[in-house]
Amino acid sequence: MTTPAAERRRREILATANARAPLPDGEFLTAEERAELDAVDALDLDELIENPIPLAPIAQLYRHDIPDYAGPDGTDLLQVLWCPVDHSDRHYSPRVFLYWRESSAIGPLLAMPPEPPVISDIYLPVPCVVHPEQVREYQYADLLPDDLRERLDAWDPDDEAEDEDDSPDYHSDLSLAPGWKVGGYANWSLTDPHPMNCAVCGSGMILTSTAASADWNGMNCSWRPQEEDSSASPDTVGVQIGRGYSLYTFRCPESFDHPPATAMQ
Ligand SMILES: [Zn+2]
Ligand SMILES: [Zn+2]
């Protein structure tokens, strides 16, 4: 547990250390920097999560920017927030909240939005602007209709050999974009698919947004944006979900008032 301010400072210290030439004594950090990081580690904040805390903003998406925007009539803005600590009833991941708004009806903005007094360091995103790029995705193979899945198996019979040959892999290269995204499909490679049904009405839910640990997988990833420097880090947002997983947020197709659900994969 840490605080947003302490985590920002920790990232700043590490970025400064990474960017400079090695110190004369060969150390990575100065004594002062080390003392500051030790003080952050020593913070005892566990009690704070017993009380309600403000949510952390995760994504703010306007209808005019997002081709697949879906929201109640009269709304043009989807705000994704999460409670930035692990939740035992969410497989130890953040609890996600979706709010649809009409941007013209929003009153004066606060100069300083309220911040949670305590967070998990891996759930504090680095502020980013988004440059949406629309791509076509295809459903996870096990969830395709039988005839399509059989044709896919015939086309790519030996899934095990995917690392050894040069032929593209249906999931990782062709159908499911890794990284932060709106819409599309979940990659169920961790557990195999399990039904995502609305807790209120039982309807099968639709993937709305994905928070990811990285935006692409390595230099040769077919989804790496061409405009990115080839040495650029795929971890622009600074969020980690489990062991490099993604957090998929689903919504009910019947009502925007029904609560979202998440799956970590
Ligand atoms: Zn919570
Ligand atoms: Zn529902």
Side-chain angles (χ1 to χ4, degrees):
M1 291 294 156
T2 185
T3 71
E7 174 57 14
R8 287 187 197 106
R9 180 63 187 142
R10 191 184 69 84
R11 292 176 183 180
E12 189 179 40
I13 288 172
L14 296 180
T16 304
N18 269 316
R20 74 188 163 210
L23 297 173
D25 59 4
E27 294 289 334
F28 179 60
L29 298 172
T30 66
E32 268 176 0
E33 289 165 343
R34 189 165 299 282
E36 230 184 304
L37 293 187
D38 287 346
V40 167
D41 285 342
L43 290 173
D44 184 8
L45 303 161
D46 286 358
E47 262 180 31
L48 290 174
I49 54 172
E50 303 304 322
N51 300 315
I53 58 173
L55 302 175
I58 298 306
Q60 173 156 272
L61 304 162
Y62 287 90
R63 187 188 285 271
H64 58 75
D65 287 329
I66 307 296
D68 294 323
Y69 177 97
D73 291 347
T75 69
D76 63 350
L77 175 62
L78 167 60
Q79 294 175 321
V80 183
L81 296 95
W82 68 29
C83 181
V85 294
D86 284 330
H87 292 73
S88 56
D89 61 348
R90 291 289 185 280
H91 298 284
Y92 296 92
S93 64
R95 186 188 294 263
V96 175
F97 299 81
L98 303 176
Y99 296 98
W100 285 274
R101 316 282 298 267
E102 182 188 351
S103 57
S104 62
I106 295 175
L109 301 183
L110 300 175
M112 284 294 290
E115 278 205 320
V118 58
I119 56 164
S120 171
D121 59 348
I122 54 175
Y123 300 143
L124 181 69
V126 173
C128 296
V129 291
V130 291
H131 303 278
E133 178 179 356
Q134 194 173 25
V135 298
R136 180 180 293 277
E137 292 201 334
Y138 296 95
Q139 180 60 282
Y140 192 76
D142 285 356
L143 297 174
L144 288 171
D146 286 349
D147 59 328
L148 272 181
R149 204 180 60 244
E150 281 158 19
R151 284 169 59 193
L152 195 56
D153 287 344
W155 170 76
D156 188 12
D158 191 359
D159 218 17
E160 305 301 315
E162 65 194 47
D163 292 336
E164 286 122 60
D165 63 33
D166 289 337
S167 61
D169 175 69
Y170 172 71
H171 284 139
S172 60
D173 296 320
L174 299 176
S175 67
L176 301 168
W180 290 70
K181 65 185 181 185
V182 175
Y185 296 102
N187 187 331
W188 293 98
S189 57
L190 187 63
T191 65
D192 287 343
H194 57 85
M196 297 300 297
N197 294 331
C198 175
V200 174
C201 71
S203 301
M205 302 178 87
I206 301 169
L207 181 62
T208 293
S209 71
T210 302
S213 301
D215 267 316
W216 61 89
N217 304 317
M219 280 272 291
N220 299 320
C221 178
S222 63
W223 305 98
R224 189 170 69 80
Q226 286 182 334
E227 63 272 24
E228 292 288 348
D229 192 300
S230 59
S231 63
S233 165
D235 180 18
T236 21
V237 188
V239 160
Q240 279 295 316
I241 304 295
R243 299 178 180 178
Y245 307 142
S246 294
L247 187 68
Y248 296 103
T249 301
F250 296 79
R251 69 173 175 84
C252 176
E254 297 301 322
S255 171
F256 291 105
D257 295 329
H258 294 175
T262 52
M264 183 165 61
Q265 289 289 309

